[in-house]
Amino acid sequence: MSAPLTRRALLFGRTAPAAPALRPPWALAEAAFASRCTRCDACVRACPEQVLARGPDGLPRFDAVAGECTFCGDCAAACATGALDATLSPPWELRARVGDGCLPAHGVVCASCREICPESAIRVPPGGRGAAVVDAERCSGCGACVGICPTAAIALSHAPLEVPA
Ligand code: SF4
Ligand code: SF4
Ligand code: SF4
């Protein structure tokens, strides 16, 4: 049986690309993380926002569709193996990216992402006159804008900030 179409697919005739696994905040680089993590699920159980879940590979993942990371630190505090290292700063390099399903880019008024963003990192041209724009320097990658978007137009991806020379 084929997967149900997303609202975005119905509106725009395409499906969202498969997203790479996003790890919890303060996770080591992927190879080191996979090596250190014992798949104990302590971080998953510790998360008060329930935005962490065990993935098909047995490793914990951050699911921004489920909600927002508040950077409370409970996951890193619960990790006894060092796979999550609370001394890392910033906790991750995730940034929100707006895709072509953004309603204002198609003349429809919407500002749900701007209204929920705790960092005031999103600008939306008024009157449905252009897509939402994310200020990458303000964005914390918290994911609050991801699940609220009615067309699933926002995704998180790794985008290291450029460090001035
Ligand atoms: S920092 Fe807090 S809200 Fe974010 S993933 Fe960890 S436990 Fe959950
Ligand atoms: S608490 Fe640490 S070792 Fe356990 S599943 Fe989470 S990241 Fe892996
Ligand atoms: S990920 Fe969080 S901080 Fe970044 S634009 Fe979305 S709501 Fe704002």
Side-chain angles (χ1 to χ4, degrees):
M1 198 169 77
S2 60
L5 286 173
T6 62
R7 184 173 174 192
R8 175 181 172 177
L10 288 168
L11 283 170
F12 301 100
R14 67 196 74 172
T15 53
L22 304 178
R23 299 307 179 196
W26 298 284
L28 302 180
E30 182 67 15
F33 174 74
S35 167
R36 284 276 187 102
C37 176
T38 57
R39 297 154 172 81
C40 71
D41 287 345
C43 56
V44 174
R45 291 192 299 273
C47 178
E49 304 298 329
Q50 299 186 321
V51 293
L52 301 182
R54 171 184 277 249
D57 56 5
L59 296 166
R61 296 182 175 196
F62 169 53
D63 178 12
V65 175
E68 170 190 357
C69 174
T70 62
F71 302 103
C72 68
D74 288 1
C75 53
C79 179
T81 68
L84 305 182
D85 178 358
T87 67
L88 295 177
S89 181
W92 55 26
E93 293 181 323
L94 296 181
R95 298 289 181 273
R97 288 184 189 276
V98 180
D100 59 7
C102 178
L103 289 173
H106 300 272
V108 179
V109 174
C110 177
S112 297
C113 57
R114 184 193 69 202
E115 287 162 10
I116 203 169
C117 176
E119 305 297 338
S120 301
I122 300 181
R123 183 172 56 81
V124 182
R129 291 199 297 269
V133 178
V134 176
D135 180 342
E137 293 199 12
R138 296 183 77 105
C139 176
S140 66
C142 73
C145 55
V146 173
I148 201 81
C149 176
T151 62
I154 304 181
L156 298 178
S157 61
H158 290 276
L161 287 175
E162 288 182 15
V163 180

